[in-house]
Amino acid sequence: MKALLSAAALLLAALFARGHGVNHAAITGDAFPAHLSDFGLFGDLRARTPAARLVRYDLETALFSDYAEKERYLYLPEGAQARYDPDKAFDLPVGAALVKTFGYRAGGVFKPLETRLLLHRASGWVALPYVWNAAGTDADLKRAGTRIPVTFTDPAGTQRSISYAVPNQNQCKDCHALSGRVTPIGVKARYLNHNGQLEKLLAAGMLDRLPPDAPRIARWDDRAASIEDRARAYLEINCAHCHNPAGAASNSGLFLDWRQRDPGALGILKRPVAAGRGSGDRDFAIQPGAPDASILVYRMESTDPGIAMPELGRATVHKEGLALVREWIAEMPKSGPVR
């Protein structure tokens, strides 16, 4: 009997993988499917054509990941809704999945490298990394992570070659931990509130409500917005998932969420909790008017694993983001000693 049930389960998974619908059991079950195709999230996996109720979205300001492009999708089971929250990530039901594919363009064509899944199971959220094969036909589970040699051209036209890091399962938890539990980051009202994305989710019955005063964060590269709003948005998406009172860096006392109003918590004239080479012999996280004297800038412009921040997800310096933060600090009125 067990053999028959096992054979039936394999057949069912194969049917889903061939485009017969999303394999809900793969999302909610306890197993770790070996292939991305096992989930049936894409009707045509090579073309990454989304299945029903797999909705693409983007963020107003997105996390920097070595200049990789990202394709993001939200899946909700039939009849299920995301519960709106003005501040926190939307409450997504068991059976929901967040799908994020990273890749680079070659000859104008996007080539996927990895797809990270966040699966909402009865036991909580589970993070799984899948690495695409060379033919782009499927992706294989790599719970231990891996490295991939990549050559790409950055926005300034400079060709770069890096060892691209696919995080292991525990490293996924490091960034997504909130009060010790894996939690989504990007599905917040303020990140999605542009180009009618929230309205479309509401119209599709995938969002339970949408107040008219839904918050919206600045786009980091939109020069029509203030330098402070842009820099704060950039620091939130790149840093605040750890640098918040319930995050992995809670003991630092440096909290970089967009609505932080305490200058000390934001890092202004704040001394580090633990000194070391990560401070670069600088005194304060942010020295107003002096970006070169600020620990924040020192760590952003480093690629040394013992110094760089964020400490995961990048082997390069985001020149444009760094320039934004430097400009923001430089425009602050000078106060206190400048080293």
Side-chain angles (χ1 to χ4, degrees), residues 61 216-237 255-264 266-268 286 296 321 323-333:
T61 284
R216 180 176 182 178
I217 205 164
R219 199 177 77 234
W220 75 275
D221 59 352
D222 178 11
R223 291 195 168 272
S226 73
I227 185 69
E228 179 171 1
D229 286 349
R230 293 164 54 211
R232 294 290 300 275
Y234 183 88
L235 290 174
E236 169 162 304
I237 195 63
F255 304 139
L256 297 174
D257 56 285
W258 72 312
R259 285 182 171 167
Q260 180 59 249
R261 290 294 174 260
D262 178 354
L266 187 58
I268 296 174
I286 295 176
L296 184 67
L324 168 66
V325 173
R326 291 182 66 91
E327 182 181 353
W328 173 55
I329 294 174
E331 290 188 3
M332 292 180 183

Side-chain angles (χ1 to χ4, degrees), residues 40-287:
L41 290 163
F42 297 92
D44 181 339
L45 189 54
R46 180 190 285 271
R48 300 182 307 287
T49 304
R53 296 185 67 79
L54 185 69
V55 177
R56 188 164 180 176
Y57 68 93
D58 61 29
L59 308 185
E60 185 75 329
T61 284
L63 175 75
F64 173 74
S65 305
D66 284 333
Y67 293 102
E69 293 185 34
K70 301 168 189 175
E71 297 177 343
R72 301 174 180 84
Y73 295 90
L74 164 66
Y75 169 77
L76 294 179
E78 186 68 36
Q81 290 183 318
R83 294 178 60 185
Y84 176 88
D85 189 290
D87 299 309
K88 298 182 293 185
F90 293 164
D91 184 7
L92 303 180
V94 171
L98 294 168
V99 183
K100 184 160 66 170
T101 297
F102 297 68
Y104 295 89
R105 291 193 177 271
V109 178
F110 178 80
K111 180 181 179 182
L113 286 183
E114 60 156 328
T115 294
R116 301 178 194 175
L117 301 183
L118 269 182
L119 311 174
H120 199 184
R121 296 176 169 177
S123 58
W125 287 92
V126 175
L128 296 176
Y130 288 81
V131 174
W132 286 77
N133 60 32
T137 56
D138 206 346
D140 301 324
L141 179 63
K142 297 288 184 183
R143 294 180 67 192
T146 190
R147 285 191 171 271
I148 306 170
V150 173
T151 297
F152 65 93
T153 302
D154 71 16
T158 302
Q159 189 174 77
R160 296 169 175 258
S161 294
I162 63 170
S163 177
Y164 178 92
V166 176
N168 63 45
Q169 196 170 358
N170 287 329
Q171 288 173 321
C172 293
K173 293 177 183 177
D174 287 345
C175 286
H176 283 273
L178 194 65
S179 297
R181 296 179 62 85
V182 175
T183 305
I185 295 172
V187 284
K188 296 183 176 78
R190 59 186 176 273
Y191 298 152
L192 303 179
N193 191 12
H194 62 281
N195 296 334
Q197 291 188 122
L198 293 178
E199 289 80 2
K200 290 173 185 175
L201 287 174
L202 184 69
M206 297 176 72
L207 183 63
D208 67 338
R209 63 190 180 93
L210 179 57
D213 61 347
R216 180 176 182 178
I217 205 164
R219 199 177 77 234
W220 75 275
D221 59 352
D222 178 11
R223 291 195 168 272
S226 73
I227 185 69
E228 179 171 1
D229 286 349
R230 293 164 54 211
R232 294 290 300 275
Y234 183 88
L235 290 174
E236 169 162 304
I237 195 63
N238 281 278
C239 311
H241 48 274
C242 288
H243 282 278
N244 71 79
S250 60
N251 63 346
S252 70
L254 180 66
F255 304 139
L256 297 174
D257 56 285
W258 72 312
R259 285 182 171 167
Q260 180 59 249
R261 290 294 174 260
D262 178 354
L266 187 58
I268 296 174
L269 296 178
K270 179 189 179 304
R271 295 185 184 276
V273 171
R277 69 189 189 96
S279 71
D281 293 326
R282 291 153 175 79
D283 290 327
F284 304 113
I286 295 176
Q287 170 69 66

Side-chain angles (χ1 to χ4, degrees), residues 268-328:
I268 296 174
L269 296 178
K270 179 189 179 304
R271 295 185 184 276
V273 171
R277 69 189 189 96
S279 71
D281 293 326
R282 291 153 175 79
D283 290 327
F284 304 113
I286 295 176
Q287 170 69 66
D292 286 326
S294 301
I295 297 171
L296 184 67
V297 167
Y298 174 69
R299 303 195 76 168
M300 285 180 64
E301 64 187 4
S302 176
T303 56
D304 184 318
I307 298 172
M309 281 289 175
E311 58 187 352
L312 296 174
R314 71 174 180 92
T316 59
V317 174
H318 188 197
K319 296 184 296 183
E320 298 80 6
L322 175 61
L324 168 66
V325 173
R326 291 182 66 91
E327 182 181 353
W328 173 55

Side-chain angles (χ1 to χ4, degrees), residues 1-8:
M1 178 61 73
K2 287 185 178 179
L4 287 174
L5 290 174
S6 178

